[in-house]
Amino acid sequence: MDPELEAFVPLFPKSDLSSPADSRRQLAELAASVPVPDLGDMVVEDRTVPADPPVPVRIYRPAGARGAVVWLHGGGFVMGTVETEHPWAARLAVGSGAVVVSVGYRLSPEHPYPAALDDAHAVLRWTVDHAAELGVAPDRIAVGGHSAGAGIAAGLALRARDEQGPAIRFQLLNQPGLDDRHDTWSARNFTDTPWFDRAKAIDAWRHYLGGRPATPYAAPARATDLTGLPPAYIATAEYCPNRDEDLGYALRLLQAGVSVEVHQWPGTFHGSHAIVSADISQRQHAELGAVLRRALAD
């Protein structure tokens, strides 16, 4: 493990997803301790996207932005809000120069699949329809996220392809949760990795699916046809149960004719980029911004 990250492992609270309320409290405490970058002249506003029910979003608008990303937070489908995502969404906006529409989608187990996907889809449609208001081009809209949010983003790309829109320019998928079956090598063997392990992954999917069978929109690794999807960037952590399903998905996208950039970060674990003082975390954040900037450029 990267030594800068390993030093923080003993400080991580022991947690699981058996109590969503406790998990949400721990995430809120962690997020509150993370410094937020200088937003300069950036406009940040909270809005509500009309839907059934309405979806809260936080919009980050850097000066001169030409494209936007619909950004979906992590949290095992159980945790997270636009507030807890603020440090990361702000970094992405600063690093990419793109408008970031951070989505406060509904959480499981209270709202199992497809609630989160429906919320993300409503925000995607709203972002495209309001592109002129946001100061961006409607053909420069990406989707992305971290962990569970990245899995929702991948499902959103599949759904948009199958429904012939809205058009998505790019997928920015950071350590995505893509497969509910837990049968890869990393999913079977990472039983004691920091922050996120096999047991936590199983609980996350159990809450998200709510006892229903998984569809490809819920678990994109189940999709049999990956043709016609937007280009993608997929980042993985070495010590993460999701690692092998992510690498497998990237390979299948390539085999389906989809352009993909893959970065496997050595010595990292799931969510370790939250340790922003570590050099490798700073590199991860810088790369996410640079990749998105390039994807939305001419």
Side-chain angles (χ1 to χ4, degrees), residues 39-43 60-66 93 96-99 134-135 293:
L39 299 181
D41 297 330
M42 189 181 305
V43 176
Y60 303 77
R61 298 176 60 182
R66 299 183 62 195
S96 67
V99 171
L134 296 172
R293 181 185 294 272

Side-chain angles (χ1 to χ4, degrees), residues 17-195:
L17 294 179
S18 60
S19 170
D22 289 343
S23 299
R24 291 165 187 166
R25 176 181 51 78
Q26 288 179 343
L27 179 61
E29 291 172 354
L30 173 64
S33 70
V34 177
V36 177
D38 181 9
L39 299 181
D41 297 330
M42 189 181 305
V43 176
V44 181
E45 60 176 331
D46 290 332
R47 299 275 295 270
T48 301
V49 169
D52 185 19
V55 186
V57 296
R58 181 168 293 178
I59 304 172
Y60 303 77
R61 298 176 60 182
R66 299 183 62 195
V69 61
V70 174
W71 183 253
L72 300 150
H73 63 75
F77 308 109
V78 171
M79 304 173 283
T81 64
V82 295
E83 189 61 41
T84 62
E85 191 61 12
H86 182 58
W88 322 119
R91 275 176 174 76
L92 185 60
V94 170
S96 67
V99 171
V100 175
V101 184
S102 180
V103 184
Y105 58 84
R106 285 171 288 173
L107 302 175
S108 60
E110 296 91 341
H111 304 284
Y113 173 84
L117 181 65
D118 287 345
D119 291 350
H121 186 259
V123 174
L124 172 63
R125 295 193 66 89
W126 181 89
T127 302
V128 172
D129 291 344
H130 290 76
E133 177 188 344
L134 296 172
V136 302
D139 62 348
R140 297 175 190 268
I141 309 298
V143 297
H146 171 67
S147 189
I152 296 168
L156 183 58
L158 285 164
R159 178 173 169 178
R161 178 201 64 180
D162 294 345
E163 295 180 358
Q164 288 78 54
I168 295 172
R169 176 90 164 227
F170 191 73
Q171 305 176 72
L172 187 68
L173 309 179
N174 191 42
Q175 303 171 19
L178 300 170
D179 200 339
D180 65 298
R181 293 167 291 191
H182 315 291
D183 58 2
T184 66
W185 187 93
S186 61
R188 293 195 310 272
N189 286 277
F190 288 148
T191 59
D192 60 352
T193 42
W195 191 247

